[in-house]
């Protein structure tokens, strides 16, 4: 098949999404420092809502790229072989690295602990951010089913019918998120091994609770021109939703900060799996896509494309890089009397830089793809 034209927005969006992931985890750390007051909490809440799109945007990008590049026929064996080398093997290696660096690690580890380690690998429990990898692998494994179902709709119906089908899937997704707790209670009552856990303990990494972002990406990938028309035509609608719901969540977070024992900065209100948050995140994806399309500065787009190119390896290692980025904070920033938000931004930029540079350096080695996945060798035009 002839090589398709690059979607330039995607290259920038990957970089933006990864930077937002590191920012979110930096915010989570600095929301807990004793020096953080109400004014810091408000600024952190604003930054958090501005970066909340990160994971849904990554899922959207995955769906868009897969459906844009995949023809009517899929060689599933070759498809999964590439995901094995580029995604799964690096994930396993970094899972073992995080397991080794855990307080217990391999100390006292025996044969009887192998099932527990295996469970951690399968569920992404070796570190807090690997839930996303487990959820992503589910989309890869189920891609043939998504491909058949979505292409069936695409080939059978005209534009209006496809739009209706997309809206129906969106409504189903909102209903699913709204019934999250009831579904969990029902599955606990059923008590089916593995299946019950998928909707209770591990519901946060169950692909069903994120499927619409993938389907939305698929719709965009199958008809890029029409998607771009939507982005242009609906801009007042999704910008309004983005601003109104964003302000609403910031207000709710400020209410959450007020505890009986005093001000305490927490972010429990903004869980990803809730209907109002889903509407905000869908609007956020469209906002970010529009902004990416308006980026015309070559240096900025090249930087974002480079960050996007190293984003998988960076994602795998960024929590470790954050851990090391906290060292100068404890040694210098506190002593200098820097504001918690300023300290957070410095730490975020340091961890982001370390994650990207180290991933790029590892990728230069012949064995690098086994550690950080495949990284583009050449700069974008």
């Amino acid at each position: 098949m002839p090589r398709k034209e690059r979607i330039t927005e995607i290259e920038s969006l990957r970089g933006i999404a990864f930077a937002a992931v590191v920012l979110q985890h930096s915010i989570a750390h600095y929301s807990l420092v004793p020096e953080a007051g109400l004014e810091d909490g408000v600024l952190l809440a604003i930054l958090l809502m501005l970066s909340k799109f990160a994971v849904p945007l990554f899922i959207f990008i995955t769906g868009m790229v897969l459906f844009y590049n995949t023809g009517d026929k899929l060689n599933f064996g070759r498809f999964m072989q590439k995901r094995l080398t580029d995604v799964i093997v690096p994930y396993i290696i970094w899972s073992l690295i995080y397991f080794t660096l855990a307080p217990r690690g391999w100390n006292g580890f025996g044969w009887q602990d192998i099932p527990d380690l295996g469970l951690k690998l399968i569920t992404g429990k070796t570190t807090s951010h690997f839930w996303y990898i487990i959820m992503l692998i589910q989309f890869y494994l189920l891609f043939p089913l998504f491909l058949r179902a979505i292409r069936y709709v695409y080939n059978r119906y005209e534009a209006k019918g496809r739009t209706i089908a997309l809206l129906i899937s969106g409504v189903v997704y909102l209903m699913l998120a709204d019934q999250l707790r009831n579904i969990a209670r029902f599955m606990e009552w059923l008590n089916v091994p593995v299946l019950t856990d998928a909707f209770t303990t591990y519901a946060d990494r169950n692909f069903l609770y994120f499927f619409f972002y993938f389907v939305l990406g698929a719709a965009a990938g199958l008809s890029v021109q029409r998607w771009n028309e939507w982005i242009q035509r609906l801009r007042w609608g999704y910008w309004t939703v983005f601003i109104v719901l964003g302000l609403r969540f910031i207000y709710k977070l400020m209410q959450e900060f007020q505890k009986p024992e005093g001000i305490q900065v927490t972010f429990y209100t903004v869980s990803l799996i809730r209907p109002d948050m889903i509407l905000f995140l869908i609007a956020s994806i469209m906002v970010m896509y529009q902004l990416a399309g308006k980026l015309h500065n070559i240096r900025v787009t090249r930087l974002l494309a480079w960050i996007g190119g190293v984003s998988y390896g960076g994602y795998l290692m960024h929590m470790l890089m954050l851990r090391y980025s906290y060292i100068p904070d404890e040694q210098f920033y506190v002593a200098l009397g820097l504001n918690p938000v300023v300290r957070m931004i410095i730490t975020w930029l340091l961890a982001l830089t370390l994650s990207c540079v180290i991933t790029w350096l590892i990728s230069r080695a012949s064995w690098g793809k086994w550690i950080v996945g495949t990284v583009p060798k050449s700069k974008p035009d």
Side-chain angles (χ1 to χ4, degrees), residues 76-98 118 120-124 126 130 132-142 312-313 315-316 368-374:
F76 187 60
R78 187 178 301 171
F79 173 83
M80 283 308 300
Q81 183 180 19
K82 181 171 174 55
R83 271 70 204 172
L84 179 67
T85 56
D86 287 355
V87 177
I88 298 174
V89 171
Y91 160 72
I92 292 172
I93 290 173
W94 279 97
S95 292
L96 295 176
I97 290 172
Y98 281 104
K120 282 184 168 65
L121 288 171
I122 293 172
T123 58
T126 53
F130 279 178
Y132 167 73
I133 309 297
I134 298 303
M135 187 259 299
L136 182 65
I137 291 171
Q138 294 172 62
F139 281 114
Y140 290 147
L141 292 172
L142 295 170
Y312 184 65
Y315 184 87
L316 293 172
K369 72 174 183 179
W370 301 104
I371 310 297
V372 295
T374 300

Side-chain angles (χ1 to χ4, degrees), residues 111-132:
W111 290 105
Q112 70 279 3
D113 298 310
I114 289 179
D116 182 55
L117 175 59
L119 181 63
K120 282 184 168 65
L121 288 171
I122 293 172
T123 58
K125 284 285 190 177
T126 53
T127 186
S128 60
H129 65 298
F130 279 178
W131 68 271
Y132 167 73

Side-chain angles (χ1 to χ4, degrees), residues 299-312:
R299 290 184 178 180
V300 173
T301 53
R302 282 185 173 177
L303 175 61
L304 288 174
W306 179 74
I307 294 173
V310 298
S311 61
Y312 184 65

